[in-house]
Amino acid sequence: MSLNLEQYVSEFTAQNINGEHLLQLDGSKLKALGMTSSQDRAIIKKKLKEMKASLEKARKAQEKMEKQREKLRKKEQEQLQRKSKKMDKSSSDATEGTNEQ
């Protein structure tokens, strides 16, 4: 509707075309849905291309954030392990000192 192509809404709705399905449509599928105007198909295909690029950009950003979180988790885990080893060593050193006396 934002593209002024309201005339196709009823057919898209009747064919259960949702956002996910919409991204899979190409020129021939659009034509089969009753979109006979090549100009209208061109508008839709251009917008779909923009949407796919935007989705890909968002997916890459999400992956980057997940990698950063994982890296941070590993770093925190390593710090906890080092801290634990230091505490174990101090505890064993104190125990050895008591045993020697």
Side-chain angles (χ1 to χ4, degrees):
M1 291 175 73
S2 67
L3 300 174
N4 295 319
L5 300 172
E6 299 86 14
Q7 66 269 29
Y8 303 110
V9 172
S10 60
E11 184 60 29
F12 277 49
T13 303
Q15 296 295 324
N16 294 318
I17 303 297
N18 60 22
E20 194 173 322
H21 291 123
L22 187 63
L23 291 171
Q24 306 303 318
L25 298 178
D26 60 11
S28 62
K29 291 177 184 173
L30 289 169
K31 198 171 187 177
L33 285 168
M35 194 173 280
T36 56
S37 166
S38 61
Q39 288 178 321
D40 291 351
R41 286 193 308 271
I43 291 169
I44 291 281
K45 289 191 292 185
K46 181 181 178 188
K47 191 64 170 177
L48 288 173
K49 186 176 180 179
E50 291 171 6
M51 290 170 62
K52 287 176 185 177
S54 179
L55 285 171
E56 182 64 18
K57 187 176 180 180
R59 184 189 64 77
K60 285 182 179 181
Q62 180 69 28
E63 284 178 0
K64 184 177 180 181
M65 284 182 63
E66 287 173 10
K67 285 181 183 179
Q68 288 174 339
R69 283 191 199 122
E70 184 60 30
K71 188 176 181 180
L72 184 60
R73 275 193 289 262
K74 284 181 180 180
K75 190 174 183 178
E76 289 173 348
Q77 192 174 26
E78 288 171 359
Q79 288 174 343
L80 285 172
Q81 287 174 347
R82 278 189 242 125
K83 193 174 187 178
S84 177
K85 285 180 183 178
K86 282 181 182 179
M87 290 180 72
D88 288 347
K89 189 173 191 269
S90 336
S91 175
S92 76
D93 288 348
T95 305
E96 286 178 14
T98 305
N99 289 340
E100 288 178 6
Q101 292 175 358

